Amino acid sequence: MPRVGVLALQGDVREHVSALEHLGVTAVTVRTPEQLEGLDGLVMPGGESTTIAHLLVTSGLRPLLQEKLDEGFKVFGTCAGLIMLSHDILDGRKDQWSFDKLAVGVRRNGYGRQIASFESPVEVKGLGVVAGVFIRAPKIVSYANEVEVLATLNHGDGEHPVLVRQGNVWGCSFHPELTSDLRVHQLFTDSL
Ligand code: GLN
């Protein structure tokens, strides 16, 4: 049975743990560098990317996680987690850093502020339609050829990717953990 970590510094950790457990995967919360050992993959949840970035530094997790990601560790970032993996962060804090593992540019709060949060059906390649919950979601505004686009959404200003993959790295701008539909998580766990 795969062991999947859920980065548990801030954000909707419990919902990811529950989704993974429903899929029959062993879910392990990760708050320290030691807890990163022996995992087959990691989920980086949504929350507040600036806070998560800060806690990654103070917890000492940043260097080890960067090293593991550079070696091909499998990771699934949702919302703030997607921001933490992206190459370019638009509308970030001046000092905002990322692991730079997905060749995409994301605009923080690109779909609007909290009050503009919305739900929309999203057609995922090979899966069919899933419910997309977008909460202060980052918008993928650019991406390189090596990025595989698994789903897009047109929220009034053209199609933008909302689920992408680049090798071992997956990123999603919505929150699949907030619905009972586990198929997006399963795409990731099936790849482990
Ligand atoms: N806008 C948030 C950020 O910049 C992400 C929102 C979310 O994860 N729901 O971190």
Tab-separated table of all heavy atoms in Angstrom, residues 147-182:
chain	number	residue	atom	x	y	z
A	147	VAL	N	4.581	20.823	-20.134
A	147	VAL	CA	3.472	20.701	-19.182
A	147	VAL	C	2.280	20.060	-19.890
A	147	VAL	O	1.835	20.533	-20.930
A	147	VAL	CB	3.073	22.096	-18.632
A	147	VAL	CG1	1.847	22.000	-17.730
A	147	VAL	CG2	4.249	22.720	-17.897
A	148	GLU	N	1.795	18.966	-19.310
A	148	GLU	CA	0.627	18.285	-19.873
A	148	GLU	C	-0.628	18.888	-19.233
A	148	GLU	O	-0.753	18.912	-18.007
A	148	GLU	CB	0.726	16.789	-19.554
A	148	GLU	CG	-0.346	15.962	-20.179
A	148	GLU	CD	-0.291	14.495	-19.715
A	148	GLU	OE1	0.645	14.129	-18.967
A	148	GLU	OE2	-1.198	13.742	-20.094
A	149	VAL	N	-1.518	19.379	-20.072
A	149	VAL	CA	-2.742	19.992	-19.553
A	149	VAL	C	-3.838	18.931	-19.509
A	149	VAL	O	-4.219	18.364	-20.528
A	149	VAL	CB	-3.166	21.187	-20.434
A	149	VAL	CG1	-4.487	21.776	-19.934
A	149	VAL	CG2	-2.078	22.259	-20.433
A	150	LEU	N	-4.327	18.631	-18.319
A	150	LEU	CA	-5.336	17.570	-18.152
A	150	LEU	C	-6.743	18.135	-18.068
A	150	LEU	O	-7.719	17.401	-18.223
A	150	LEU	CB	-5.029	16.744	-16.899
A	150	LEU	CG	-3.687	16.002	-16.954
A	150	LEU	CD1	-3.316	15.441	-15.599
A	150	LEU	CD2	-3.759	14.884	-17.987
A	151	ALA	N	-6.867	19.400	-17.758
A	151	ALA	CA	-8.190	20.036	-17.731
A	151	ALA	C	-8.018	21.535	-17.868
A	151	ALA	O	-7.028	22.109	-17.398
A	151	ALA	CB	-8.903	19.726	-16.410
A	152	THR	N	-8.993	22.150	-18.544
A	152	THR	CA	-9.006	23.616	-18.644
A	152	THR	C	-10.381	24.105	-18.222
A	152	THR	O	-11.340	23.329	-18.160
A	152	THR	CB	-8.738	24.109	-20.089
A	152	THR	OG1	-9.803	23.664	-20.924
A	152	THR	CG2	-7.415	23.615	-20.625
A	153	LEU	N	-10.468	25.382	-17.957
A	153	LEU	CA	-11.762	26.002	-17.642
A	153	LEU	C	-11.776	27.385	-18.274
A	153	LEU	O	-10.769	28.095	-18.243
A	153	LEU	CB	-11.932	26.128	-16.125
A	153	LEU	CG	-13.232	26.802	-15.682
A	153	LEU	CD1	-14.425	25.880	-15.936
A	153	LEU	CD2	-13.178	27.191	-14.210
A	154	ASN	N	-12.933	27.721	-18.840
A	154	ASN	CA	-13.119	29.084	-19.323
A	154	ASN	C	-14.051	29.802	-18.350
A	154	ASN	O	-15.242	29.525	-18.318
A	154	ASN	CB	-13.711	29.070	-20.740
A	154	ASN	CG	-13.789	30.465	-21.326
A	154	ASN	OD1	-13.689	31.460	-20.594
A	154	ASN	ND2	-13.962	30.549	-22.638
A	155	HIS	N	-13.480	30.675	-17.553
A	155	HIS	CA	-14.293	31.406	-16.573
A	155	HIS	C	-14.476	32.844	-17.056
A	155	HIS	O	-14.352	33.804	-16.292
A	155	HIS	CB	-13.619	31.351	-15.197
A	155	HIS	CG	-14.524	31.785	-14.074
A	155	HIS	ND1	-15.726	31.182	-13.812
A	155	HIS	CD2	-14.400	32.780	-13.136
A	155	HIS	CE1	-16.306	31.784	-12.775
A	155	HIS	NE2	-15.527	32.749	-12.355
A	156	GLY	N	-14.696	32.974	-18.352
A	156	GLY	CA	-15.031	34.296	-18.890
A	156	GLY	C	-13.895	34.989	-19.618
A	156	GLY	O	-14.123	35.973	-20.309
A	157	ASP	N	-12.660	34.473	-19.479
A	157	ASP	CA	-11.565	35.144	-20.180
A	157	ASP	C	-10.684	34.138	-20.916
A	157	ASP	O	-9.466	34.253	-20.910
A	157	ASP	CB	-10.738	35.990	-19.207
A	157	ASP	CG	-10.060	35.137	-18.146
A	157	ASP	OD1	-10.453	33.966	-17.992
A	157	ASP	OD2	-9.117	35.629	-17.494
A	158	GLY	N	-11.344	33.162	-21.535
A	158	GLY	CA	-10.603	32.168	-22.329
A	158	GLY	C	-10.260	30.952	-21.487
A	158	GLY	O	-10.423	30.953	-20.264
A	159	GLU	N	-9.793	29.909	-22.172
A	159	GLU	CA	-9.476	28.640	-21.484
A	159	GLU	C	-8.151	28.773	-20.737
A	159	GLU	O	-7.152	29.202	-21.307
A	159	GLU	CB	-9.326	27.509	-22.508
A	159	GLU	CG	-10.573	27.197	-23.313
A	159	GLU	CD	-11.641	26.467	-22.515
A	159	GLU	OE1	-11.308	25.850	-21.470
A	159	GLU	OE2	-12.811	26.528	-22.932
A	160	HIS	N	-8.157	28.404	-19.478
A	160	HIS	CA	-6.917	28.343	-18.707
A	160	HIS	C	-6.801	26.951	-18.097
A	160	HIS	O	-7.804	26.396	-17.639
A	160	HIS	CB	-6.908	29.389	-17.592
A	160	HIS	CG	-6.815	30.787	-18.098
A	160	HIS	ND1	-5.609	31.390	-18.370
A	160	HIS	CD2	-7.766	31.677	-18.429
A	160	HIS	CE1	-5.826	32.604	-18.834
A	160	HIS	NE2	-7.131	32.810	-18.884
A	161	PRO	N	-5.597	26.379	-18.084
A	161	PRO	CA	-5.432	25.061	-17.473
A	161	PRO	C	-5.807	25.124	-15.985
A	161	PRO	O	-5.506	26.109	-15.309
A	161	PRO	CB	-3.932	24.770	-17.611
A	161	PRO	CG	-3.434	25.697	-18.665
A	161	PRO	CD	-4.325	26.904	-18.608
A	162	VAL	N	-6.454	24.051	-15.501
A	162	VAL	CA	-6.768	23.992	-14.062
A	162	VAL	C	-6.229	22.706	-13.426
A	162	VAL	O	-6.230	22.572	-12.206
A	162	VAL	CB	-8.285	24.131	-13.786
A	162	VAL	CG1	-8.755	25.547	-14.134
A	162	VAL	CG2	-9.102	23.100	-14.556
A	163	LEU	N	-5.794	21.763	-14.278
A	163	LEU	CA	-5.132	20.554	-13.770
A	163	LEU	C	-4.000	20.229	-14.742
A	163	LEU	O	-4.239	20.092	-15.941
A	163	LEU	CB	-6.123	19.380	-13.689
A	163	LEU	CG	-5.563	18.034	-13.221
A	163	LEU	CD1	-5.045	18.121	-11.786
A	163	LEU	CD2	-6.634	16.943	-13.311
A	164	VAL	N	-2.789	20.173	-14.230
A	164	VAL	CA	-1.617	19.964	-15.093
A	164	VAL	C	-0.685	18.938	-14.466
A	164	VAL	O	-0.735	18.665	-13.266
A	164	VAL	CB	-0.822	21.284	-15.317
A	164	VAL	CG1	-1.634	22.297	-16.092
A	164	VAL	CG2	-0.332	21.869	-14.004
A	165	ARG	N	0.163	18.401	-15.325
A	165	ARG	CA	1.157	17.443	-14.857
A	165	ARG	C	2.459	17.664	-15.623
A	165	ARG	O	2.433	17.906	-16.842
A	165	ARG	CB	0.650	16.024	-15.144
A	165	ARG	CG	1.670	14.983	-14.755
A	165	ARG	CD	1.192	13.591	-15.078
A	165	ARG	NE	2.118	12.640	-14.492
A	165	ARG	CZ	1.997	11.345	-14.570
A	165	ARG	NH1	0.969	10.799	-15.206
A	165	ARG	NH2	2.891	10.560	-14.011
A	166	GLN	N	3.553	17.607	-14.924
A	166	GLN	CA	4.861	17.628	-15.579
A	166	GLN	C	5.683	16.522	-14.938
A	166	GLN	O	6.294	16.712	-13.886
A	166	GLN	CB	5.516	18.999	-15.391
A	166	GLN	CG	6.824	19.144	-16.148
A	166	GLN	CD	7.429	20.535	-15.973
A	166	GLN	OE1	6.746	21.479	-15.584
A	166	GLN	NE2	8.713	20.639	-16.239
A	167	GLY	N	5.625	15.343	-15.541
A	167	GLY	CA	6.339	14.198	-14.984
A	167	GLY	C	5.804	13.819	-13.621
A	167	GLY	O	4.631	13.491	-13.465
A	168	ASN	N	6.654	13.923	-12.613
A	168	ASN	CA	6.288	13.510	-11.248
A	168	ASN	C	5.505	14.588	-10.480
A	168	ASN	O	5.138	14.385	-9.322
A	168	ASN	CB	7.560	13.170	-10.446
A	168	ASN	CG	8.542	14.330	-10.417
A	168	ASN	OD1	8.919	14.862	-11.454
A	168	ASN	ND2	8.941	14.755	-9.230
A	169	VAL	N	5.277	15.722	-11.130
A	169	VAL	CA	4.671	16.852	-10.427
A	169	VAL	C	3.278	17.163	-10.998
A	169	VAL	O	3.132	17.361	-12.206
A	169	VAL	CB	5.562	18.107	-10.549
A	169	VAL	CG1	4.972	19.269	-9.774
A	169	VAL	CG2	6.968	17.809	-10.042
A	170	TRP	N	2.298	17.174	-10.105
A	170	TRP	CA	0.918	17.464	-10.504
A	170	TRP	C	0.472	18.758	-9.830
A	170	TRP	O	0.825	19.008	-8.675
A	170	TRP	CB	-0.028	16.350	-10.035
A	170	TRP	CG	0.276	14.970	-10.532
A	170	TRP	CD1	1.373	14.211	-10.234
A	170	TRP	CD2	-0.527	14.178	-11.409
A	170	TRP	NE1	1.292	12.995	-10.867
A	170	TRP	CE2	0.132	12.948	-11.590
A	170	TRP	CE3	-1.761	14.387	-12.049
A	170	TRP	CZ2	-0.390	11.936	-12.387
A	170	TRP	CZ3	-2.280	13.378	-12.837
A	170	TRP	CH2	-1.596	12.167	-13.010
A	171	GLY	N	-0.320	19.554	-10.540
A	171	GLY	CA	-0.820	20.780	-9.937
A	171	GLY	C	-2.266	21.020	-10.331
A	171	GLY	O	-2.673	20.756	-11.467
A	172	CYS	N	-3.038	21.524	-9.373
A	172	CYS	CA	-4.472	21.685	-9.584
A	172	CYS	C	-4.891	23.016	-8.956
A	172	CYS	O	-4.518	23.292	-7.813
A	172	CYS	CB	-5.149	20.506	-8.874
A	172	CYS	SG	-6.897	20.419	-9.039
A	173	SER	N	-5.635	23.839	-9.704
A	173	SER	CA	-5.985	25.138	-9.114
A	173	SER	C	-7.250	25.062	-8.273
A	173	SER	O	-7.524	25.967	-7.493
A	173	SER	CB	-6.100	26.221	-10.193
A	173	SER	OG	-6.911	25.780	-11.223
A	174	PHE	N	-8.012	23.965	-8.397
A	174	PHE	CA	-9.225	23.867	-7.572
A	174	PHE	C	-8.985	22.892	-6.412
A	174	PHE	O	-7.847	22.504	-6.147
A	174	PHE	CB	-10.431	23.473	-8.434
A	174	PHE	CG	-10.279	22.219	-9.246
A	174	PHE	CD1	-10.755	20.999	-8.771
A	174	PHE	CD2	-9.658	22.244	-10.493
A	174	PHE	CE1	-10.646	19.839	-9.530
A	174	PHE	CE2	-9.535	21.089	-11.258
A	174	PHE	CZ	-10.022	19.887	-10.764
A	175	HIS	N	-10.066	22.535	-5.722
A	175	HIS	CA	-9.946	21.755	-4.478
A	175	HIS	C	-10.680	20.418	-4.585
A	175	HIS	O	-11.799	20.297	-4.057
A	175	HIS	CB	-10.546	22.546	-3.306
A	175	HIS	CG	-9.720	23.695	-2.860
A	175	HIS	ND1	-8.711	23.569	-1.932
A	175	HIS	CD2	-9.741	24.995	-3.213
A	175	HIS	CE1	-8.152	24.748	-1.724
A	175	HIS	NE2	-8.761	25.625	-2.495
A	176	PRO	N	-10.095	19.402	-5.180
A	176	PRO	CA	-10.799	18.115	-5.289
A	176	PRO	C	-11.076	17.481	-3.922
A	176	PRO	O	-11.990	16.672	-3.790
A	176	PRO	CB	-9.841	17.239	-6.116
A	176	PRO	CG	-8.517	17.890	-6.019
A	176	PRO	CD	-8.751	19.347	-5.775
A	177	GLU	N	-10.320	17.879	-2.900
A	177	GLU	CA	-10.497	17.303	-1.556
A	177	GLU	C	-11.772	17.795	-0.883
A	177	GLU	O	-12.170	17.277	0.151
A	177	GLU	CB	-9.267	17.587	-0.681
A	177	GLU	CG	-9.141	19.005	-0.152
A	177	GLU	CD	-8.701	20.022	-1.207
A	177	GLU	OE1	-8.557	19.664	-2.395
A	177	GLU	OE2	-8.524	21.203	-0.830
A	178	LEU	N	-12.412	18.826	-1.459
A	178	LEU	CA	-13.625	19.361	-0.833
A	178	LEU	C	-14.896	18.733	-1.393
A	178	LEU	O	-15.997	19.138	-1.042
A	178	LEU	CB	-13.679	20.893	-0.985
A	178	LEU	CG	-12.558	21.654	-0.274
A	178	LEU	CD1	-12.737	23.153	-0.432
A	178	LEU	CD2	-12.497	21.278	1.211
A	179	THR	N	-14.753	17.756	-2.268
A	179	THR	CA	-15.915	17.028	-2.777
A	179	THR	C	-15.732	15.550	-2.407
A	179	THR	O	-14.641	15.135	-1.999
A	179	THR	CB	-16.036	17.146	-4.312
A	179	THR	OG1	-14.954	16.425	-4.913
A	179	THR	CG2	-15.973	18.594	-4.769
A	180	SER	N	-16.789	14.762	-2.576
A	180	SER	CA	-16.652	13.337	-2.237
A	180	SER	C	-16.150	12.534	-3.446
A	180	SER	O	-15.972	11.323	-3.361
A	180	SER	CB	-17.994	12.792	-1.752
A	180	SER	OG	-18.972	13.106	-2.707
A	181	ASP	N	-15.926	13.223	-4.553
A	181	ASP	CA	-15.440	12.571	-5.765
A	181	ASP	C	-13.910	12.429	-5.659
A	181	ASP	O	-13.199	13.433	-5.610
A	181	ASP	CB	-15.818	13.461	-6.959
A	181	ASP	CG	-15.506	12.831	-8.290
A	181	ASP	OD1	-14.715	11.861	-8.338
A	181	ASP	OD2	-16.049	13.314	-9.297
A	182	LEU	N	-13.439	11.194	-5.611
A	182	LEU	CA	-12.011	10.972	-5.331
A	182	LEU	C	-11.178	10.750	-6.592
A	182	LEU	O	-10.006	10.414	-6.520
A	182	LEU	CB	-11.854	9.749	-4.417
A	182	LEU	CG	-12.621	9.807	-3.102
A	182	LEU	CD1	-12.504	8.489	-2.352
A	182	LEU	CD2	-12.096	10.955	-2.247
